[in-house]
Amino acid sequence: MFGARKLMLPRGRNLAIRRRTLRQKSKIENDHIDLETSKSLELFIAEVEAFESLGNEKKDHLRELDLLVLDTSIRETTVGSIRGHTLDNKREIFKEIKKCGFKYYVIEAFNTETRVGDVFVKSLNDAGEDLSGAFAFSECWDVVKNKIPQEEPIPVGMRKCLQFGVPNVIIEVDLCFYKVDYGRFDEGKICELLKKRLQWIKKNLSKDSLTFVNLRDFSDAMASYPQRVWKVVNFLSSLPAGDRILGIMIEDLGKYDKDHLGGWTKAIRSEMKRCGWEDGHLLVHVHEQWGLVQGNVLEMLAMGGTGIWAGICSEGAALGHADSCTTILNLIRLGNTKVLNNGINCQYLREAAINVTKIVTTEKPFERQPVYGERATDMVFGFVFDQINNSEIETDSASLSGGRIPDFDLSKFLGVKSELRITTMASPEMILLKLRSEFGDEPQFTIDIAGAMKDQIIKNLTAGRKEEYTSKSGLAMLFDQSGGHVTAKIAEIINATAENKPHIDFLIEEVKKLWKMYDEADGTADDTLTFENFYNGFMAPYFGCYRCEDSQAGLRVIDLDYDGCIEWTEFRYFLIWAGREYPSVKNMKELLDKTFRNGIIPAMLDELSKME
């Protein structure tokens, strides 16, 4: 498909156009470029064009790929997992698979044990579930005697497919397993046994059964015994049209690089075509090991793979695997529109990946997980902020020719809100939009206050205060410290949407118990304290006297609605902020210390500066 080729440097008119374009963009006039500079520029532009073009054919192929997905979420996410699947877990994952619109899915890897999967499949049968798209893994042989695989008994995986009405089978074959003597049981005998297994499936399950053969140790076999792989691929590709299976599956455990994997994939695909098996599928699967997993899968797809077998999220054995959510959205990012029209609910994939991760691990995905992590859709850089609403999926073939990657806004495609992350990289315009999007319109929200907030971030870091400003509570505190006044409405929004760790919620409840003691002191429990009662109950350790200017300024900071009293919701806003910023506080006293010393007192100093 993509053979070796000589690096061709652009010449003539194309080079002249490229040079002229570069000069226009950099505002360099012709008479400002001497001969030596011109030659150097020509060579530079030539190399840029030549090296840019190296991957163009692969990108074009990925755009046109009609991807087949065999979902393995029910099986893959339980392999070696710290917490195994319960029956309810499998039911919930099955629902997510159906919402994604995957036609084919792996339902179990049967063995001699009665696993949760056995009970699950039985429950689906009892409920009358359509299992026409279900696959199960089965060994090609269960018994090895004297290093020779035995034809009998029929593998338990196949027998359980018959028992539970699972119509489709994935036969697992090992080509360099240490317990097998491949000198005596060579690839020819492997093919003979495979033929008998395929005949058994057609006779006992259904003449319409779909079958894949998975070369389980594909990578090591290709590295050391490629002739064995060739023989099996040649055999399967040469079967009579009526006996052919759905396809071949290959996998890598994360050991080999993309050049090996891509080259091996191309070799297999070419052999399939030489034998006339044009419509045979070649599904790829790669385990995570060195952070290269998605790039390796895309390389294998670009070099001849027709699909993937993968879970919707990356959870799985060891470090996980290349999940289908990320792979599919990468194809869409490259301009592939076929995957949008093959029945897969692409807009739902991210949500499904999040849900299945929670089902399997009981926790959210790692926040920096690409595509479906919490921070995957954040807008970070102020200098690209003006592009936030300008990205579209480009589908015009002319605009995408030459391997160019189109602009793609993940948030817009998925229909989710892009989180504006407030850091030193945020522009005042980003901060202003963040204020309005979180708290609505407010006269205090101006570009000047946003600029002051950006400056305050630097001041806090210089003072050794390592805090975040993206959450509602963090943003409001920054606003308060930068010359703004947190209104009662802002505090209500924070109180209504705050999510704290259970430990922090417990400490806030401890503070509330102390609050109630002073609240009832005036004979009325109304969640409101006078300035004096609040000072006696909470402020005294941090301010010298009730009537001094500092104390009155501190009280004004907390009195968000200027009614001369402190309400619980007003004080709780500061507690929520402190709990979020300093989640390791051990007790109520430490929580109050952080609330006053790092929250209320800095805001009080800002209040005093206004009075000067």
Side-chain angles (χ1 to χ4, degrees):
M1 185 182 301
F2 309 111
R5 57 184 176 177
K6 185 178 179 180
L7 184 64
M8 300 297 293
L9 300 184
R11 300 178 182 277
R13 183 172 179 272
N14 288 339
L15 177 58
I17 294 172
R18 188 67 180 260
R19 285 173 53 193
R20 185 165 61 250
T21 301
L22 180 64
R23 286 171 176 168
Q24 290 172 348
K25 286 185 177 180
S26 56
K27 298 181 180 179
I28 299 175
E29 300 297 334
N30 289 338
D31 56 2
H32 290 167
I33 299 180
D34 57 31
L35 182 60
E36 183 178 350
T37 301
S38 178
K39 289 181 178 179
S40 178
L41 177 60
E42 287 185 14
L43 180 60
F44 177 77
I45 297 300
E47 290 180 337
V48 169
E49 286 192 333
F51 289 116
E52 276 183 348
S53 68
L54 291 179
N56 288 352
E57 289 184 45
K58 293 180 182 179
K59 293 188 186 76
D60 290 341
H61 178 77
L62 290 173
R63 289 191 184 102
E64 296 302 317
L65 178 64
D66 192 3
L67 186 78
L68 179 71
V69 178
L70 174 60
D71 182 82
T72 63
S73 300
I74 294 174
R75 177 58 192 161
E76 187 73 32
T77 58
T78 194
V79 179
S81 62
I82 295 175
R83 294 178 175 87
H85 289 182
T86 66
L87 185 58
D88 284 341
N89 290 159
K90 290 190 180 294
R91 287 171 175 156
E92 291 168 2
I93 295 172
F94 187 54
K95 290 178 182 177
E96 294 296 325
I97 293 171
K98 292 198 290 186
K99 289 180 183 178
C100 290
F102 294 131
K103 182 178 181 180
Y104 300 123
Y105 52 90
V106 174
I107 202 163
E108 184 53 276
F110 293 121
N111 64 12
T112 56
E113 299 173 340
T114 301
R115 292 175 167 176
V116 176
D118 296 47
V119 181
F120 170 61
V121 177
K122 183 179 183 303
S123 70
L124 294 179
N125 282 319
D126 292 344
E129 187 71 45
D130 177 16
L131 298 182
S132 59
F135 283 78
F137 283 102
S138 173
E139 298 292 335
C140 187
W141 55 80
D142 276 347
V143 178
V144 177
K145 290 183 178 179
N146 299 320
K147 292 198 169 185
I148 303 296
Q150 303 297 300
E151 180 180 343
E152 297 294 339
I154 297 297
V156 66
M158 293 168 60
R159 287 185 277 125
K160 283 195 173 183
C161 282
L162 176 61
Q163 176 185 347
F164 291 111
V166 178
N168 310 308
V169 184
I170 302 167
I171 302 176
E172 304 233 67
V173 175
D174 298 311
L175 296 177
C176 52
F177 185 41
Y178 74 98
K179 289 187 177 181
V180 174
D181 182 348
Y182 292 94
R184 292 187 293 153
F185 192 80
D186 61 17
E187 51 268 27
K189 292 182 178 178
I190 292 175
C191 292
E192 290 178 10
L193 185 53
L194 265 175
K195 185 176 182 179
K196 293 178 180 179
R197 300 307 190 214
L198 296 175
Q199 290 171 342
W200 187 94
I201 290 171
K202 292 291 186 182
K203 178 181 178 181
N204 293 276
L205 297 185
S206 169
K207 62 181 179 60
D208 298 320
S209 289
L210 303 174
T211 306
F212 281 107
V213 170
N214 179 35
L215 306 181
R216 183 161 48 190
D217 50 5
F218 164 75
S219 295
D220 286 337
M222 283 297 290
S224 302
Y225 308 100
Q227 74 281 2
R228 296 178 188 170
V229 179
W230 170 81
K231 179 61 178 178
V232 173
V233 171
N234 178 270
F235 162 73
L236 294 171
S237 303
S238 301
L239 288 170
D243 296 333
R244 282 179 179 163
I245 62 176
L246 186 57
I248 296 171
M249 292 164 45
I250 56 178
E251 63 178 302
D252 175 67
L253 297 181
K255 179 178 178 180
Y256 294 91
D257 58 55
K258 71 180 184 67
D259 296 320
H260 282 93
L261 296 173
W264 295 337
T265 303
K266 182 179 185 302
I268 290 180
R269 189 64 187 163
S270 296
E271 180 64 19
M272 294 169 69
K273 289 183 175 181
R274 280 193 294 270
C275 295
W277 196 19
E278 294 279 349
D279 60 349
H281 282 287
L282 180 58
L283 306 192
V284 303
H285 178 84
V286 181
H287 290 261
E288 181 62 274
Q289 189 77 342
W290 299 104
L292 304 172
V293 63
Q294 285 295 338
N296 289 349
V297 164
L298 290 175
E299 179 73 10
M300 296 171 79
L301 291 175
M303 295 294 277
T306 64
I308 55 176
W309 55 288
I312 188 64
C313 65
S314 65
E315 296 299 321
L319 298 179
H321 72 295
D323 61 272
S324 60
C325 173
T326 306
T327 299
I328 292 171
L329 285 168
N330 261 300
L331 290 176
I332 296 170
R333 181 179 71 92
L334 289 170
N336 186 307
T337 57
K338 290 185 177 180
V339 74
L340 296 170
N341 300 304
N342 65 0
I344 298 176
N345 185 359
C346 295
Q347 278 81 8
Y348 185 72
L349 297 179
R350 182 176 188 263
E351 185 175 344
I354 294 170
N355 292 341
V356 173
T357 301
K358 290 178 181 178
I359 292 167
V360 174
T361 68
T362 72
E363 297 177 355
K364 294 180 180 179
F366 178 54
E367 62 180 11
R368 291 198 298 276
Q369 173 75 33
V371 177
Y372 61 91
E374 189 172 311
R375 288 167 57 176
T377 57
D378 284 5
M379 171 59 71
V380 178
F381 298 107
F383 57 81
V384 296
F385 176 64
D386 59 345
Q387 300 176 11
I388 192 169
N389 291 318
N390 296 331
S391 298
E392 298 288 347
I393 301 174
E394 300 180 56
T395 59
D396 179 67
S397 58
S399 68
L400 297 180
S401 62
R404 191 174 68 81
I405 298 176
D407 292 332
F408 179 72
D409 188 329
L410 178 63
S411 300
K412 181 175 287 188
F413 175 76
L414 295 172
V416 299
K417 178 183 177 183
S418 180
E419 183 75 60
L420 296 175
R421 195 187 306 173
I422 304 305
T423 69
T424 55
M425 299 301 296
S427 64
E429 289 79 8
M430 283 178 65
I431 295 174
L432 180 59
L433 180 59
K434 179 74 170 178
L435 284 169
R436 291 171 175 169
S437 65
E438 296 290 8
F439 304 121
D441 290 332
E442 161 64 45
Q444 297 182 78
F445 296 163
T446 64
I447 195 67
D448 289 337
I449 194 70
M453 291 169 69
K454 181 175 174 64
D455 293 340
Q456 187 65 40
I457 294 174
I458 303 296
K459 292 177 183 177
N460 287 349
L461 288 170
T462 304
R465 292 181 56 181
K466 192 178 181 68
E467 298 172 357
E468 66 83 30
Y469 309 105
T470 300
S471 68
K472 289 182 175 64
S473 57
L475 182 69
M477 184 60 70
L478 178 64
F479 170 69
D480 203 21
Q481 294 170 0
S482 306
H485 176 75
V486 174
T487 64
K489 176 185 174 183
I490 293 174
E492 288 173 5
I493 292 172
I494 293 170
N495 276 286
T497 59
E499 291 186 9
N500 296 309
K501 293 184 177 180
H503 171 62
I504 298 300
D505 285 335
F506 172 77
L507 295 183
I508 291 176
E509 284 302 311
E510 292 295 298
V511 175
K512 183 66 182 290
K513 291 177 183 177
L514 180 60
W515 172 281
K516 287 182 177 179
M517 290 175 52
Y518 289 91
D519 186 20
E520 295 169 354
D522 61 1
T524 304
D526 55 2
D527 268 351
T528 302
L529 299 186
T530 64
F531 274 9
E532 185 170 1
N533 281 342
F534 183 80
Y535 174 84
N536 292 332
F538 300 97
M539 289 184 67
Y542 310 99
F543 296 87
C545 66
Y546 164 63
R547 298 186 182 279
C548 65
E549 185 179 42
D550 286 358
S551 297
Q552 292 300 308
L555 288 165
R556 283 195 297 274
V557 166
I558 306 170
D559 181 17
L560 305 180
D561 56 5
Y562 300 112
D563 65 353
C565 299
I566 306 298
E567 299 171 7
W568 169 247
T569 55
E570 294 173 330
F571 187 40
R572 185 173 182 267
Y573 147 67
F574 287 94
L575 296 172
I576 289 171
W577 169 83
R580 184 179 180 89
E581 294 294 339
Y582 305 98
S584 61
V585 292
K586 298 181 178 63
N587 50 49
M588 181 179 72
K589 182 180 182 305
E590 287 190 12
L591 179 64
L592 289 171
D593 277 347
K594 296 297 183 184
T595 299
F596 279 94
R597 297 188 192 282
N598 291 9
I600 293 174
I601 292 175
M604 176 207 74
L605 295 175
D606 176 68
E607 184 75 17
L608 288 174
S609 69
K610 294 179 186 177
M611 298 169 58
E612 294 177 355

